[in-house]
Amino acid sequence: MSDALLQNSFYIGNVFNSILYGVELMLYFNTMQTYLEKQSEHRPSDKFYMIFSTIILFLITIFVATQLLLGQEMWIINVGYPGGALAYFLAHVSAWYQTMGSVASILLQLMADGLLIYRCFTVWRGSYCVLFVPCCLWLSSLVFGILDLITSGSPNGDFYEGLAARVGLVYFSLTIGLNVITTCLICGRIIFYARHMRNHLGLEVSKAYFTTVAIVVESALPYTLFGIAFLVSFGLDSDTSILFLSLYGMFTCISPQMLILRVARRRAWSAETAQPTTLIFATSSAAAPSTTSETETGGSVV
């Protein structure tokens, strides 16, 4: 490992963790405020999303705190450690608080991936066929996530070397592969309906669900992209992988939270969004007070 590159990557990663944690707090409180303001329009899923948001905030708090604690121990408290900061990092990478951070990170990833699978199920109108591969990958990542915790958290274990690194590479390949598949499925479905709706109803009517923001948020695209960046750097045994791990870890929380906020504001895809239905909308004629036009399409406007 390169001492300077590793330390710079870890430091920059902690800086981004702190900034993005602030973003997550803003999204979380925005989500809670939105749900509390919409109590009169309560849905059965609202309480689930509020609890889900609170749990992922708690888990990302543990992850950020343990990363900052390692930095404090390495650069401030044990500044005179024999061999320097790199030696301290390698000797304490499996410390109890780092293992706790890894547990929080893996639980967070499993929850985020589960939400992504559910959203894929929703966008695909309850089609179980498209969920077979993602669900298999999720179960496999659960198994390898446990193995990763055992190998990296054991005495003298090292997340970046030996057996723990190989198990970790398999685990991240599975979970990021799941991200790529579900993101592609969601993006493809939304783009298909966007074109279908635009052809039948025009651009203005389709804007509610088929904007670039909708595609990015619904598919958790940043989460997937940072996951790919981390996997490539980790597979190449690059010291910059610790920076991409921080970014990937933060968007494991931020991307689901952005999606939940969109759900809270009633702008996300629901089970009815892509259902074949009769769309009724007002005509541009002001002279006819109750004139409506009905058009059969593959999507609905809410």
Side-chain angles (χ1 to χ4, degrees), residues 128-296:
Y128 289 96
C129 297
V130 299
L131 298 186
F132 179 74
V133 173
C135 286
C136 288
L137 289 174
W138 189 91
L139 292 172
S140 300
S141 66
L142 172 62
V143 173
F144 276 93
I146 295 171
L147 292 175
D148 184 44
L149 290 175
I150 294 171
T151 54
S152 62
S154 59
N156 300 318
D158 186 347
F159 178 78
Y160 297 96
E161 299 288 344
L163 178 62
R166 292 193 290 272
V167 172
L169 183 60
V170 175
Y171 165 71
F172 285 110
S173 297
L174 289 169
T175 188
I176 294 168
L178 187 158
N179 300 155
V180 171
I181 290 171
T182 50
T183 295
C184 289
L185 286 170
I186 293 171
C187 285
R189 190 70 166 178
I190 292 177
I191 291 171
F192 169 79
Y193 270 102
R195 291 179 177 176
H196 183 75
M197 211 170 179
R198 190 177 297 117
N199 290 339
H200 286 79
L201 301 177
L203 182 62
E204 291 300 319
V205 178
S206 66
K207 277 185 177 179
Y209 295 100
F210 306 114
T211 62
T212 302
V213 172
I215 295 173
V216 170
V217 175
E218 292 278 353
S219 65
L221 187 60
Y223 174 41
T224 301
L225 294 178
F226 281 113
I228 293 171
F230 165 69
L231 184 62
V232 171
S233 60
F234 187 60
L236 294 175
D237 198 25
S238 170
D239 291 335
T240 59
S241 63
I242 196 169
L243 167 60
F244 290 113
L245 176 61
S246 293
L247 293 170
Y248 176 53
M250 293 308 300
F251 276 95
T252 303
C253 183
I254 290 174
S255 285
Q257 195 63 64
M258 288 194 299
L259 177 54
I260 292 171
L261 179 58
R262 188 173 171 83
V263 171
R265 290 175 173 173
R266 311 301 192 234
R267 295 177 183 173
W269 276 56
S270 65
E272 294 78 28
T273 302
Q275 289 288 347
T277 186
T278 300
L279 299 179
I280 305 177
F281 53 93
T283 63
S284 57
S285 173
S290 61
T291 304
T292 61
S293 174
E294 298 185 358
T295 308
E296 285 290 326

Side-chain angles (χ1 to χ4, degrees), residues 7 10-11 14-15 18 63-81 84-85 88-89 92 96-98:
Q7 289 193 60
F10 186 54
Y11 174 78
N14 279 351
V15 171
S18 301
F63 173 77
V64 172
T66 54
Q67 294 295 94
L68 292 174
L69 178 58
L70 180 58
Q72 181 187 29
E73 291 279 348
M74 182 170 69
W75 288 314
I76 300 173
I77 298 175
N78 297 281
V79 66
Y81 190 84
Y88 185 89
F89 177 86
H92 294 82
W96 67 268
Y97 56 86
Q98 281 294 291

Side-chain angles (χ1 to χ4, degrees), residues 26-38 41 43 46 49 208-209 213 217-218 257-269 302:
M26 181 192 68
L27 291 170
Y28 173 78
F29 287 115
N30 228 328
T31 301
M32 294 299 109
Q33 181 184 17
T34 302
Y35 274 126
L36 292 174
E37 289 175 350
K38 291 182 178 293
E41 306 171 25
R43 293 179 179 178
D46 289 355
Y49 282 122
Y209 295 100
V213 172
V217 175
E218 292 278 353
Q257 195 63 64
M258 288 194 299
L259 177 54
I260 292 171
L261 179 58
R262 188 173 171 83
V263 171
R265 290 175 173 173
R266 311 301 192 234
R267 295 177 183 173
W269 276 56
V302 179

Side-chain angles (χ1 to χ4, degrees), residues 53-63 104:
S53 297
T54 303
I55 293 174
I56 63 174
L57 175 64
F58 174 71
L59 293 173
I60 200 62
T61 300
I62 294 175
F63 173 77

